[in-house]
Amino acid sequence: MPDLQNLRVAFQMDPMEGVNIAEDTTFALALEAQRRGATLFDYGPQHLAYDAGRVIAHARPMTLRDTVGDHVRFEDRRIIDLTDDIDVVWMRQDPPFDMAYITAAHLLERLKGQTLVANDPQWVRSLPEKIVPLDYVHLMPPTMIARDPVMIDAFRKRHGTVIIKPLYGNGGAGIFKIAPDDSNYSSLLEMFFASNPEPVMVQAFIPEVSAGDKRILIVDGQLAGGFNRVPLKGETRSNMHVGGIAELVELTDTDIAIAEELGPMLHARGQILVGIDVIAGRLTEINLTSPTGVHELKRFTGVDTAAMCWDAIAVRLKRNF
């Protein structure tokens, strides 16, 4: 296990004091770094700035404990230079994937070749989670991205029951199952299009989702493992944010083949921790922004994905990324 003595790590994240340490992947990553000797900082995207050639952050030095109710201690905030003062930045704030998120990725991209940023912000920005799978259409269920109701109507007529979801949403929010005779369909499109200017994603419904949606974790291009997320009775969404239940599952040959096909692309593009979603052998999303599931995978399989991530980062640091 490579140690990280003297390594300085900054987490760009939602506030650490608010996380659930039994479930939060960022906490697991940070705690593993601290165990290996790293010094930790946290800051939010609102604390990130560009100043006369420098990318800086108004950050808090922090010390973690694996203790519910007392899991983090902070020192006073101070300005840190993300080139001179930091060796690794983890971009781990939750979406929405909006212009604020894209701007933060642009700023962190200016650290390229000087400070390792995980996941590489150039590709996080350029590969939105519901668009990057389009490079692998042969792995996906039938999918449309559109804003024109006439086009969406034609897709529905071809495929019957469909799933409609925001193109840049997360955590299962705003996902709807629409049956062919659903009287809410037109109102739903009106709501989507009135609230934002983007197209929506429409996919043919996969009935097997009732048996679960697999979350498969990939670390620097290598398959780590996976588990199942089963939706609550009466639900089609299996995301744990909306009540999906995690359970042990054996990955199929198809699941493994999907991960292995994606792996070289993810490695080449600096994506250290990625979560892909697979339903009945069909790829639905490639999660690059702040993928979760580290705790669940360790609980079900013993695989320590956080340790794998730091092993991979240590290798990249030795070869200057």
Side-chain angles (χ1 to χ4, degrees):
M1 180 181 76
D3 67 47
L4 305 178
Q5 293 295 333
N6 302 317
L7 201 71
R8 301 157 301 175
V9 182
F11 287 86
Q12 181 174 301
M13 61 178 295
D14 301 323
M16 178 62 84
E17 58 267 40
V19 306
N20 179 344
I21 69 172
E23 299 178 357
D24 191 81
T25 289
T26 307
F27 180 81
L29 291 167
L31 186 63
E32 179 64 18
Q34 180 177 281
R35 285 172 177 155
R36 297 189 184 201
T39 300
L40 307 181
F41 298 81
D42 99 324
Y43 68 91
Q46 72 273 25
H47 302 119
L48 181 69
Y50 173 87
D51 181 8
R54 300 186 306 151
V55 181
I56 60 176
H58 195 198
R60 301 181 289 185
M62 66 178 176
T63 304
L64 302 182
R65 300 175 62 187
D66 197 5
T67 304
V68 175
D70 187 22
H71 65 271
V72 62
R73 304 284 176 87
F74 296 110
E75 299 176 30
D76 292 340
R77 285 193 185 274
R78 62 175 188 252
I79 303 297
I80 58 174
D81 185 313
L82 295 184
T83 296
D84 294 339
D85 301 330
I86 297 296
D87 302 295
V88 178
V89 174
W90 272 96
M91 187 179 184
R92 286 286 307 176
Q93 83 268 17
D94 287 337
F97 193 88
D98 55 13
M99 288 308 299
Y101 198 103
I102 290 171
T103 300
H106 274 296
L107 294 183
L108 291 181
E109 189 183 344
R110 304 189 73 82
L111 302 174
K112 198 172 190 71
Q114 304 171 87
T115 301
L116 192 156
V117 182
N119 291 333
D120 186 317
Q122 174 187 350
W123 291 108
V124 170
R125 184 192 72 239
S126 300
L127 300 174
E129 299 180 339
K130 294 181 180 65
I131 292 180
V132 59
L134 304 183
D135 289 342
Y136 301 89
V137 65
H138 59 289
L139 302 177
M140 299 179 68
T143 297
M144 169 174 273
I145 294 175
R147 190 175 173 86
D148 187 320
V150 172
M151 295 181 181
I152 297 172
D153 288 347
F155 184 91
R156 288 183 68 217
K157 287 176 182 175
R158 290 198 306 272
H159 297 290
T161 301
V162 298
I163 296 292
I164 299 180
K165 50 189 171 182
L167 195 53
Y168 298 108
N170 71 299
I175 296 177
F176 293 88
K177 174 186 173 184
I178 303 295
D181 59 350
D182 196 316
S183 61
N184 292 310
Y185 164 67
S186 296
S187 297
L188 179 64
L189 283 190
E190 290 172 7
M191 181 193 71
F192 269 121
F193 296 151
S195 61
N196 65 69
E198 293 93 15
V200 293
M201 173 172 270
V202 190
Q203 290 184 318
F205 176 64
I206 305 173
E208 293 89 341
V209 71
S210 61
D213 175 354
K214 292 175 185 172
R215 166 54 57 90
I216 299 172
L217 295 180
I218 300 173
V219 174
D220 205 10
Q222 299 298 311
L223 173 64
F227 58 94
N228 206 23
R229 300 173 300 175
V230 180
L232 296 174
K233 186 175 181 179
E235 262 281 5
T236 58
R237 301 173 298 170
S238 57
N239 309 68
M240 290 182 288
H241 285 295
V242 293
I245 305 300
E247 65 176 19
L248 178 66
V249 72
E250 184 174 346
L251 298 184
T252 67
D253 290 344
T254 300
D255 300 330
I256 294 168
I258 291 172
E260 290 178 344
E261 183 169 347
L262 297 177
M265 176 274 290
L266 297 171
H267 171 76
R269 293 175 176 178
Q271 302 305 298
I272 302 297
L273 178 59
V274 174
I276 66 172
D277 297 337
V278 177
I279 304 173
R282 292 291 185 176
L283 175 69
T284 59
E285 291 191 21
I286 302 175
N287 299 278
L288 308 177
T289 51
S290 55
T292 60
V294 164
H295 289 277
E296 290 79 9
L297 187 62
K298 187 174 183 179
R299 183 166 75 246
F300 293 132
T301 71
V303 173
D304 191 336
T305 315
M308 290 179 65
C309 287
W310 285 110
D311 289 345
I313 286 174
V315 170
R316 283 184 174 264
L317 290 172
K318 284 183 180 178
R319 66 170 190 247
N320 294 319
F321 318 157

